[in-house]
Amino acid sequence: MSTFVYDGDCAFCTRCAEFIERRIPTGARVVPWQFADLDRLGLTEAECEEAVQWVGADGSRAAGPDAIAALLASSGRGWRIAGAGLRIPPVRAVAWPVYRWVARNRHRMPGGTAACSLPQETRDRLYGPSSG
């Protein structure tokens, strides 16, 4: 089964994951990295801290907007078209800087909280170590 991994400590990311689960018909598992078996998925905490991750059933991997494109490609027709659009070179070239800007500012996004802006080591110190 394919898996889409996001930051469960981030309220903005969690809201996005909830949107995926409600609105995007995908067979992929959508899971916060803090509760994922990262070793089995071949992911590290650092990778998951940096960007959302996709691990396909075939072992393919993608991060950031490429992970979002892969998730969309595994979904219904309209969403597959959107995923294909994210893979068009000029769109992809813009998607990465936009993704990085959103990631840096996710605590300011709708649903974001101050905890979204904390580095993992600070969250661990304040709230206890993440499980995984």
Side-chain angles (χ1 to χ4, degrees):
M1 172 183 275
S2 298
T3 305
F4 183 81
V5 182
Y6 67 95
D7 184 355
D9 284 342
C10 172
F12 174 72
C13 301
T14 299
R15 286 243 174 121
C16 292
E18 290 168 353
F19 176 86
I20 292 166
E21 290 175 331
R22 277 193 323 271
R23 304 275 190 229
I24 300 178
T26 178
R29 201 174 75 140
V30 178
V31 61
W33 71 260
Q34 292 85 350
F35 298 105
D37 184 345
L38 298 182
D39 289 335
R40 184 184 62 75
L41 293 170
L43 297 171
T44 65
E45 285 188 19
E47 289 170 319
C48 295
E49 274 287 305
E50 185 177 325
V52 294
Q53 301 291 320
W54 171 265
V55 179
D58 62 356
S60 62
R61 292 185 42 188
D66 295 334
I68 295 166
L71 172 82
L72 294 174
S74 76
S75 304
R77 186 169 192 266
W79 294 108
R80 279 195 306 266
I81 293 168
L86 268 175
R87 290 189 168 131
I88 297 170
V91 174
R92 186 173 184 268
V94 171
W96 269 103
V98 169
Y99 181 88
R100 287 185 185 109
W101 183 87
V102 169
R104 278 192 315 272
N105 292 283
R106 60 191 178 165
H107 59 288
R108 294 184 178 104
M109 299 292 156
T113 65
C116 299
S117 67
L118 299 176
Q120 184 62 39
E121 124 185 346
T122 303
R123 282 186 271 176
D124 287 349
R125 191 176 69 253
L126 294 172
Y127 307 117
S130 61
S131 62

